[in-house]
């Protein structure tokens, strides 16, 4: 199983569990307890990490440079997004992007970017990684900023003159930003009827 | 349900068992299947026939007088067995009504993907682990296979399974109502083992897992919760993962909603907080009647369903029927399954068939004598934490009609006087 050319395994006694902080450790295969390292894998360089490190946090960490306007976004939307989401983001057939604010506690909730999504950064993250559906990761950062601006403007969340970039996007407060709660389960009696 | 529907009702002709010559004759597949399923006392009103299959297969009249086929490199199932997934563009459904035991054949494991099944060369694939780690590392699949290996048998269920059953009976068959759950033996390296190699910084609390599919599907997972059980899997039922199941590498978090078990896994990033990706905000969150939404509802709860007799099937005659089904819980072992043959008026304990494993499909069986009357069949399970599978009424009373995900309600199958089995809600 182990190639002779591989890095030798180093026998150093029981492995430190400090890396796993306070949680209870499951038992790991007995042999592994004697090895601090298996000598497998290689250190990742910034060049390795950068192309894949595309996630954006709610505080804006990870947002690339560049900027976009509502007007630019409208043109990109028409070309790249409207075929699936409809000319104004309402018609579909794919999920409605606009409207629905105030409907979540009704019998007919309409979950859209405007009514449901808690963070504007998520919109950037998702479009940048997964849209357009037929050509994911094909939009440049400034195009994504622009499309995000257009969708947020159409939802009445930002002004038409807003320029979105790594500084302004994380400051946007979405209408439903306080709408999420934790897992409340189990939420039933444990007694068999 | 719009495409790939199998014919709803195939009338099968009786088998021709007499007057055959000793030479080969053509056995009609429908005839064979009708004969086979009649052994259960249940006719298959919805047998599966691929559109491309031949309608007849050459079969020797007496196989003991005809030399059989020689060996082959990769086996195939009997030509008479044509059980299939029902498939749509982004999902396919496991035919639970046609399966035995607890293992789902890999080729019939349900699918759910968010922009197709990618083609990934195993020698090109890499796993990057970075963020709040002592040393960012990259692994090849071959290197991951060299770590100490672990295997476990576990179910994976999409949290949207039965999601269309909240408001009214939707699916005809159990494949349509419950087909987004499957069980496999999964083999890989424990996440804890990998982190021994890398080292975590103490402030690491969440782990972002990302796939290399065209959705680059991403979920944030609480590290302390997943570490005891998470596996980085490269094998399923003894073989490399199927492409639909994440070849060459997927995450398995036993008992958690399927979308957390990121397929085609290429990246793990250790973080202080969740990234709040689209899949954990706008999707896979559970809208409550007051307009709030539950987030990070990872565990799949106690759930069971009778797979035979089940929707779309036909009871042929009054008499003995073994009621068979599956029960599972994302919180541990199934401890009890009750079956009602009178619409929930009374319940009797079913037999659990070994093995009974935590976070795994458990097969249950119950002997029943159908008197030919109209009735409703139900199953209800309990797990080792004491959780009892709720009725749909109980579920709706707390969660309303619009949470979509995590519907683990008791399923009702109505048997008519004619023996037809239908999906109903009571």
């Amino acid at each position: 199983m182990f190639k002779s050319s591989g890095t030798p395994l180093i026998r150093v006694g029981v492995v430190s569990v400090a890396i796993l902080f306070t949680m209870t450790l499951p038992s790991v295969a007995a042999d592994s307890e004697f090895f601090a390292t298996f000598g497998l894998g290689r250190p990742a360089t910034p060049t390795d990490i950068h192309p894949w490190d595309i996630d954006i946090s709610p505080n804006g960490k990870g947002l690339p440079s560049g900027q976009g306007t509502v007007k630019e976004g409208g043109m990109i939307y028409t070309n790249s997004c409207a075929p699936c989401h409809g000319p104004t983001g309402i018609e579909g057939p794919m999920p409605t992007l606009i409207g629905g604010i105030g409907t979540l506690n009704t019998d007919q909730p309409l979950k859209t970017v405007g009514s449901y999504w808690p963070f504007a950064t998520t919109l950037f993250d998702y479009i940048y990684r997964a849209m357009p559906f037929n050509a994911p990761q094909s939009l440049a950062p400034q195009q994504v900023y622009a499309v995000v601006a257009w969708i947020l403007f159409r939802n009445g969340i930002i002004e038409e003159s807003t320029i979105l970039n790594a500084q302004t996007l994380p400051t946007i407060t979405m209408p439903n930003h306080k709408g999420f709660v934790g897992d409340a389960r189990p939420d039933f009696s444990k007694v068999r009827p | 349900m719009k495409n790939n529907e199998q014919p709803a009702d195939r009338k099968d002709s009786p088998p021709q068992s007499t007057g055959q010559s000793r030479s080969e004759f053509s056995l009609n597949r429908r005839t064979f299947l009708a004969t086979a399923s009649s052994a259960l006392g249940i006719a298959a009103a919805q047998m599966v026939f691929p559109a491309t299959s031949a309608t007849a297969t050459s079969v020797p009249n007496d196989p003991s007088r005809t030399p059989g086929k020689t060996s082959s490199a990769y086996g195939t199932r009997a030509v008479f067995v044509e059980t299939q997934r029902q498939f749509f563009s982004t999902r396919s459904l496991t035919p639970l009504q046609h399966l035995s035991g607890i293992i789902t054949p890999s080729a019939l494991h349900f699918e759910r993907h968010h922009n197709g099944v990618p083609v990934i060369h195993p020698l090109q694939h890499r796993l990057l682990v970075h963020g709040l780690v002592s040393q960012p590392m990259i692994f090849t699949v071959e290197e991951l296979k060299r770590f100490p290996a672990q295997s476990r048998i576990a179910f994976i269920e999409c949290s949207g399974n039965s999601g269309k059953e909240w408001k009214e009976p939707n699916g005809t068959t159990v494949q349509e109502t419950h087909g987004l759950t499957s069980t496999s033996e999964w083999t890989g390296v424990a996440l804890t083992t990998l982190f021994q190699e890398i080292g975590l910084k103490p402030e690491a609390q969440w782990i972002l897992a990302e796939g290399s599919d065209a959705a680059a599907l991403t979920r944030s997972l609480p590290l302390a919760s997943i570490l005891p059980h998470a596996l980085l899997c490269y094998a399923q039922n003894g073989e490399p993962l199927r492409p639909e199941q994440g070849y060459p590498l997927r995450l398995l978090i036993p008992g958690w909603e399927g979308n957390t078990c990121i397929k085609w896994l290429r990246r793990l990033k250790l973080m202080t907080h969740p990234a709040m990706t689209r899949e954990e905000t706008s999707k896979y969150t559970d809208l409550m009647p007051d307009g709030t939404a539950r987030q990070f509802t990872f565990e799949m709860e106690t759930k069971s369903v009778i797979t035979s007799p089940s929707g779309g099937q036909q009871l042929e005659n009054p008499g003995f029927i073994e009621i068979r089904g599956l029960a599972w819980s994302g919180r541990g072992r199934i401890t009890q399954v009750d079956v009602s043959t009178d619409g929930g008026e009374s319940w009797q304990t079913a037999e659990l068939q070994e093995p009974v494993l935590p976070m795994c499909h458990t097969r249950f069986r119950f002997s029943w004598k159908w008197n030919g009357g109209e009735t409703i069949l139900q199953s209800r399970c309990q797990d080792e934490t004491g959780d009892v599978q709720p009725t749909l009424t109980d579920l709706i009373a707390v969660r309303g009609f619009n949470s979509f995900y995590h519907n683990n309600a008791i399923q009702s199958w109505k048997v008519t006087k004619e023996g037809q089995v239908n999906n109903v809600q009571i």
Side-chain angles (χ1 to χ4, degrees):
Chain A
M1 180 178 175
F2 295 101
K3 294 172 185 171
S4 57
S5 59
T7 308
L9 301 178
I10 303 163
R11 195 175 182 109
V12 296
V14 177
V15 66
S16 166
V17 295
I19 56 165
L20 297 166
F21 30 93
T22 57
M23 68 199 55
T24 305
L25 263 181
S27 62
V28 179
D31 284 352
S32 67
E33 293 180 6
F34 295 98
F35 302 113
T37 175
F38 298 94
L40 297 167
R42 68 168 173 82
T45 66
T47 311
D48 295 321
I49 296 171
H50 180 71
W52 285 0
D53 192 14
I54 57 173
D55 58 276
I56 312 297
S57 287
N59 64 6
K61 193 176 177 186
L63 280 169
S65 57
Q67 62 180 35
T69 66
V70 172
K71 187 178 177 186
E72 293 161 354
M75 290 185 287
I76 296 162
Y77 179 88
T78 299
N79 290 330
S80 298
C81 318
C84 294
H85 293 282
T88 68
I90 293 170
E91 302 85 351
M94 297 315 285
T96 303
L97 304 174
I98 314 291
I101 295 173
T103 66
L104 296 181
N105 61 353
T106 69
D107 291 341
Q108 301 288 329
L110 179 60
K111 295 195 280 190
T112 74
V113 172
S115 69
Y116 197 59
W117 291 42
F119 300 103
T121 47
T122 306
L123 190 56
F124 188 101
D125 176 282
Y126 182 64
I127 295 171
Y128 195 41
R129 74 170 58 244
M131 289 287 118
F133 197 71
N134 62 347
Q137 297 179 33
S138 64
L139 295 178
Q142 59 267 27
Q143 293 176 298
V144 179
Y145 279 118
V147 171
V148 170
W150 185 85
I151 294 171
L152 295 177
F153 166 68
R154 297 290 296 182
N155 275 295
I157 295 168
I158 62 171
E159 301 290 331
E160 192 167 10
S161 59
T162 307
I163 295 171
L164 286 189
N165 55 37
Q167 285 70 48
T168 57
L169 182 61
T171 67
I172 294 167
T173 300
M174 299 293 278
N176 195 40
H177 76 287
K178 289 184 176 174
F180 289 83
V181 297
D183 187 353
R185 303 172 306 162
D187 44 8
F188 297 101
S189 161
K190 290 191 174 190
V191 179
R192 271 201 302 276
Chain B
M1 302 294 172
K2 47 193 175 196
N3 58 1
N4 312 111
E5 297 286 4
Q6 279 80 40
D9 187 16
R10 285 180 177 268
K11 293 296 180 189
D12 298 308
S13 55
Q16 298 169 10
S17 55
T18 57
Q20 300 285 351
S21 74
R22 289 204 166 207
S23 61
E24 292 189 349
F25 69 98
S26 289
L27 174 63
N28 184 288
R29 288 186 175 193
R30 296 181 196 179
T31 302
F32 174 84
L33 289 164
T35 308
S37 56
S38 291
L40 301 174
I42 300 165
Q46 200 165 6
M47 273 299 176
V48 177
F49 290 78
T52 54
S53 74
T55 55
T57 298
S58 183
V59 178
N61 188 28
D62 182 351
S64 69
R65 291 167 179 254
T66 307
K69 278 177 61 178
T70 55
S71 308
S72 57
Y74 193 87
T76 59
R77 57 187 178 175
V79 293
F80 310 106
V81 180
E82 295 182 320
T83 302
Q84 287 189 317
R85 293 187 293 218
Q86 246 175 299
F87 63 96
F88 307 86
S89 61
T90 62
R91 65 197 159 92
S92 68
L93 308 168
T94 294
L96 298 174
Q97 70 274 36
H98 296 308
L99 302 184
S100 307
I102 60 171
I103 300 291
T104 309
S106 299
L108 296 176
H109 193 294
F110 83 88
E111 296 171 78
R112 176 74 179 98
H113 26 77
H114 297 72
N115 197 355
V117 177
V119 178
I120 299 174
H121 196 294
L123 297 181
Q124 292 174 353
H125 191 73
R126 297 289 182 273
L127 174 68
L128 169 65
V129 188
H130 71 125
L132 297 171
V133 295
S134 303
Q135 171 64 58
M137 294 288 288
I138 284 185
F139 300 93
T140 66
V141 178
E142 284 306 307
E143 285 167 336
L144 292 170
K145 287 180 178 175
R146 286 178 57 190
F147 280 100
Q150 291 189 11
S151 290
R152 72 172 297 161
I153 303 174
F155 79 84
I156 295 179
E157 182 183 16
C158 176
S159 57
N161 198 21
S162 315
K164 292 181 177 176
E165 302 292 321
W166 277 99
K167 295 180 179 175
E168 57 188 0
N170 182 275
T172 299
T173 66
V174 69
Q175 184 170 12
E176 292 167 348
T177 59
H178 289 73
L180 290 171
T181 186
S182 303
T183 284
S184 292
E185 181 190 19
W186 305 98
T187 302
V189 53
L191 199 57
T192 48
T193 305
L194 194 75
F195 286 154
Q196 287 180 34
E197 190 79 349
I198 294 169
L200 300 181
K201 292 184 177 175
E203 60 268 35
Q205 298 292 325
W206 288 76
I207 185 164
L208 183 76
E210 182 179 87
S212 52
D213 56 326
L217 197 78
T218 316
R219 285 294 316 251
S220 308
L221 306 165
L223 190 58
S225 300
I226 71 165
L227 262 184
H229 303 297
L231 276 184
L232 302 170
C233 300
Y234 42 77
Q236 172 190 11
N237 297 331
E239 287 186 306
L241 295 172
R242 291 277 163 147
E244 310 95 288
Q245 297 309 319
Y247 182 84
L249 188 68
R250 84 172 301 166
L251 190 58
L252 172 72
I253 305 170
W256 282 24
E257 56 185 21
N259 69 82
T260 63
C261 303
I262 296 289
K263 296 184 282 190
W264 314 291
L265 183 71
R266 75 172 182 189
R267 188 163 74 103
L268 295 172
K269 183 178 185 180
L270 282 300
M271 308 172 76
T272 56
H273 293 85
M276 297 294 182
T277 69
R278 181 246 198 185
E279 313 304 334
E280 59 212 20
T281 54
S282 80
K283 304 291 178 187
Y284 303 116
T285 49
D286 315 331
L287 186 60
M288 295 293 117
D290 67 357
T292 64
R294 292 178 183 175
Q295 191 179 25
F296 302 122
T297 48
F298 296 119
E299 287 168 330
M300 300 307 295
E301 294 168 286
T302 49
K303 189 169 179 177
S304 70
V305 67
I306 294 170
T307 56
S308 176
S310 61
Q313 294 182 331
Q314 175 80 38
L315 305 189
E316 293 203 322
N317 303 108
F320 173 75
I321 303 278
E322 182 167 76
I323 294 174
R324 297 167 183 164
L326 292 169
W328 61 97
S329 168
R331 294 196 170 110
R333 281 182 179 79
I334 292 295
T335 53
Q336 185 168 331
V337 178
D338 301 323
V339 167
S340 174
T341 58
D342 56 11
E345 291 290 315
S346 63
W347 295 88
Q348 291 170 277
T349 303
E351 187 172 346
L352 301 187
Q353 181 173 290
E354 294 290 340
V356 178
L357 301 170
M359 299 142 189
C360 186
H361 281 174
T362 297
R363 177 65 64 177
F364 67 85
R365 296 182 279 110
F366 180 79
S367 294
W368 178 49
K369 192 170 182 181
W370 181 45
N371 63 12
E374 184 176 294
T375 192
I376 289 175
L377 306 179
Q378 298 174 310
S379 65
R380 176 184 72 191
C381 65
Q382 185 168 14
D383 72 9
E384 61 185 326
T385 72
D387 270 3
V388 177
Q389 185 179 10
T391 65
L392 186 62
T393 306
D394 289 342
L395 208 57
I396 289 169
V398 175
R399 302 183 194 169
F401 288 99
N402 293 309
S403 59
F404 186 77
Y405 303 106
H406 293 282
N407 180 354
N408 64 324
I410 290 171
Q411 170 69 40
S412 301
W413 301 118
K414 181 176 181 177
V415 179
T416 68
K417 287 175 184 170
E418 295 74 32
Q420 198 175 8
V421 187
N422 298 321
N423 179 12
V424 296
Q425 289 180 359
I426 58 174

